[in-house]
Structure formats: C-alpha cells, structure tokens
Amino acid sequence: MKKIAVLTSGGDAPGMNACIRAVVRTALYKNLKVIGIRRGYTGLLSGDFMKMTTGSVANIIQRGGTILGTSRCEEFRTSEGRARAFEMIQKEGIEGLIVIGGDGTFRGAYELSREGEVPIVGVPGTIDNDVYGTDETIGFDTAINTALEAIDKIRDTAASHERVFFVEVMGRSSGFIAAQVGLGGGAEFVVVPETRTDLNELCERLLKSIRRGKKACIVIVAEGKESGGAFQIAQQVNACIGTEYRVCVLGHIQRGGSPTARDRVLASKLGSAAVNALLAGHRNVMVGEVKGEIVLTPLEETWTKIKPIDRSLLELVDILAGGTRN
Ligand code: F6P
C-alpha cells in the first residue's frame, strides 16, 4: 500500500482534527502518501482532493470542527453514487480509505467496500457515542463537558427565579449524552429514549423537590421523536403541576469547541491505529477503544449491534436528586 485517503463525514465532532492529524502523520511516518478528501462523501464524488503533508495538519490538534469539512451526502446512499466514488478512488490511485464519522458514515463505507472492493477502516467520531465497538466515540467527552458548562449557568438563573428548567441535549436517538450530563449536572430527572418515561413519577419528583425548598430543578431531555423533545415534556409536566418553567435547547453548541484532553488522546490513538490496521491488511473494520485496549470491529456490527446506555447512571440520578421514590 502506497497511497491512502482520509475523510470526515456526518455530524462534525470535536477531536476530528486531532484524528486527521494522527492519520496523516502516522501515514507519512510509514512512508505512505496521504490524500485529504474535502466535504466527506460529497467531496469523494466530485474528486475534491488535497495532498496532505506534515504542515497541512500543523496547529489543528486543539481546534474543533474538521479542517476537511463534512457533509451528509444523499447521492452516496445510491449504488450509482458509490460507483462514481469508486471511479474517483481508482483514478486517484487510492489503495486504502480511512473514514471518520458515525454509523451513517460506516453504513456508506460498508456498501462502498462491498461494491468497489476498496479496503476501508472506520474511526468513530460523533458526539452521540452511539456506536458499538468502542467505549467512547471521539467528541463525546467534549460535548458532555460543553453541555455541563451550559447547565451550570442555567442553574444560576433557575435558582434565582425558582424555576424548573427543561434542558434538551443532543444524541439523535440515544441517551448517552443525557445520562452523563444528568448525573454530572445534578439533574432531578433524565428523559432518554432507551427507557419509558413515567410522567407521573417525573411530576412527583419535581413537586417533592419544590416542597423541600429546592430552588433550581433541572430536567434533562434527550432530543428525539420518542419523547417529543423538551418542549413537549415541559408542556405535559406543566399541565400536571403548573409550575413556572423554561425550556433551553442546547443544540449545536454541543458540537463545537476545542476538544478535551480525553478526546484529543482518544482521537490520536484511534487515528494512528486506523493507519496501522490498514497496513496490517485489515479491511472493513472500525478501530475502537474498549477498556483501554484498541479493538477492531467489523463495520456492519457497529450499527447492527446496539451499545446499551449505562442504566445505573439513571438510577444514581434518581438517588442523588435527593429523596426516596415515594
Ligand atoms: O449525530 C450528531 C448530531 O449532532 C446528533 O446529535 C443530532 O441529532 C444531529 O447530529 C443533528 O444533525 P444536523 O447537524 O445535520 O442537524
């Protein structure tokens, strides 16, 4: 293998740049040529390529976003689109591809590798952490820290006005972010898609806290159609207990910012491991970290197998919210 390429795809995540840097520098160290593909699969289809040097990844380890750009590419979901992508890969002489992204990215990569027979290694980069085969995805740690910083600020105003705040966090259809920030942010209750939410229990919990004299009550709601989001939950609760409330949707703020130390380290390890995996002859796998060890998981398992959220975190939120269930 003489020439490889790297792209970032799907929602950007803090630490993607650190990962690109690790891929490029490890590949150069191993005497490979490296191509950066701009704007994810969209750039692969249009041949938007750039030669990567040591200098092209200088001063990016601390930067959020992705210097290569990213996209959600509809055309790549079709077999015609992927055939065109494979043509581009052949034309450029790319012998191995590293894709940094989430499960959508890996589904596309899997189809491409089957139809076009190009060796691909995936690296999990998404704030959602909803990828099987790795304890954490790149960007997750930064996202939960960003959300926590915001929640600490919300708590100040919530306490001053004695309001209940419903804070919506990202996660697509998973509650990894919600569970972590619920516990770390001292929430009264966490609403996640993985468990059924008992509205009566939520109302009871809030009433009890308010009666105890608690001034700032925070309910964390994972985004998604399962719960209807923070606005819907807030309206339902208000209809039951009529307390003054506000809703805050944290949204894309969770995707930005300088990556935490933990994300930079994870991204550096996984980026480098991806190059090593390609060189060792591994194909169509994702590199992940499980219990501190680098592990390879077949690409299709990363979305067909479900990574469960840690339900003990939710139980702990209940206990630490201060009170018994009844
Ligand atoms: O997958 C990352 C993520 O931020 C999800 O948490 C969220 O549901 C989605 O992307 C938002 O996507 P977009 O930026 O395309 O609106």
Side-chain angles (χ1 to χ4, degrees):
M1 195 172 279
K2 297 258 173 4
K3 193 181 201 180
I4 65 166
V6 57
L7 61 79
T8 49
S9 161
D12 59 322
M16 278 184 164
N17 281 327
C19 189
I20 295 166
R21 172 179 177 271
V23 167
V24 170
R25 295 220 169 140
T26 304
L28 294 174
Y29 178 77
K30 305 262 173 173
N31 292 319
L32 296 172
K33 290 197 171 104
V34 197
I35 297 296
I37 301 172
R38 292 195 191 90
R39 294 162 33 244
Y41 292 132
T42 306
L44 177 57
L45 285 167
S46 61
D48 196 352
F49 299 152
M50 64 194 271
K51 185 178 167 218
M52 304 299 279
T53 63
T54 303
S56 21
V57 292
N59 200 22
I60 66 166
I61 195 167
Q62 79 285 12
R63 282 170 56 190
T66 156
I67 58 157
L68 290 175
T70 185
S71 62
R72 302 195 192 274
C73 180
E74 281 306 317
E75 203 183 339
F76 195 73
R77 291 176 202 265
T78 66
S79 51
E80 295 77 26
R82 289 190 297 270
R84 200 142 68 76
F86 186 56
E87 265 174 47
M88 289 296 185
I89 285 173
Q90 283 187 310
K91 207 164 127 197
E92 185 63 31
I94 294 165
E95 295 167 287
L97 180 62
I98 292 176
V99 296
I100 307 166
D103 73 333
T105 302
F106 299 155
R107 282 170 204 248
Y110 175 70
E111 295 302 335
L112 176 68
S113 70
R114 282 186 347 150
E115 295 162 3
E117 288 177 14
V118 55
I120 301 182
V121 172
V123 185
T126 165
I127 63 164
D128 299 338
N129 197 29
D130 58 345
V131 177
Y132 178 85
T134 189
D135 287 343
E136 283 190 11
T137 53
I138 296 164
F140 176 61
D141 187 61
T142 308
I144 57 180
N145 279 290
T146 301
L148 274 180
E149 203 184 319
I151 288 160
D152 290 347
K153 290 178 177 151
I154 288 168
R155 184 176 286 284
D156 291 344
T157 175
S160 304
H161 285 266
E162 300 188 25
R163 285 171 173 158
V164 177
F165 263 83
F166 294 83
V167 181
E168 184 175 303
V169 295
M170 276 186 167
R172 200 169 27 180
S173 42
S174 68
F176 289 97
I177 296 178
Q180 292 278 338
V181 304
L183 185 57
E188 302 300 311
F189 203 92
V190 181
V191 177
V192 293
E194 289 86 349
T195 61
R196 198 184 63 82
T197 299
D198 184 338
L199 213 65
N200 288 332
E201 193 190 329
L202 166 54
C203 292
E204 279 300 313
R205 178 90 47 82
L206 288 173
L207 278 179
K208 217 187 275 174
S209 295
I210 292 164
R211 285 194 200 116
R212 259 192 313 121
K214 198 159 183 187
K215 296 199 185 321
C217 289
I218 310 274
V219 177
I220 303 294
V221 183
E223 67 172 351
K225 55 183 180 322
E226 293 82 1
S227 70
F231 280 100
Q232 194 161 312
I233 295 284
Q235 278 159 13
Q236 288 168 342
V237 169
N238 187 249
C240 291
I241 61 172
T243 177
E244 193 183 352
Y245 75 93
R246 290 290 186 273
V247 173
C248 183
V249 177
L250 297 185
H252 288 78
I253 192 171
Q254 294 158 98
R255 288 240 295 260
S258 179
T260 57
R262 188 156 154 163
D263 270 329
R264 295 181 201 194
V265 170
L266 179 67
S268 301
K269 282 163 131 179
L270 295 184
S272 191
V275 175
N276 292 333
L278 267 184
L279 285 175
H282 295 288
R283 265 98 190 90
N284 315 327
V285 292
M286 182 196 82
V287 291
E289 190 180 57
V290 177
K291 294 187 172 52
E293 300 290 327
I294 298 290
V295 293
L296 303 179
T297 303
L299 272 183
E300 67 272 29
E301 284 185 17
T302 64
W303 71 89
T304 52
K305 292 195 172 171
I306 304 297
K307 179 161 81 177
I309 66 163
D310 181 354
R311 285 171 193 245
S312 71
L313 295 182
L314 304 177
E315 285 162 22
L316 201 48
V317 169
D318 291 352
I319 295 167
L320 301 186
T324 54
R325 273 179 180 254
N326 302 305

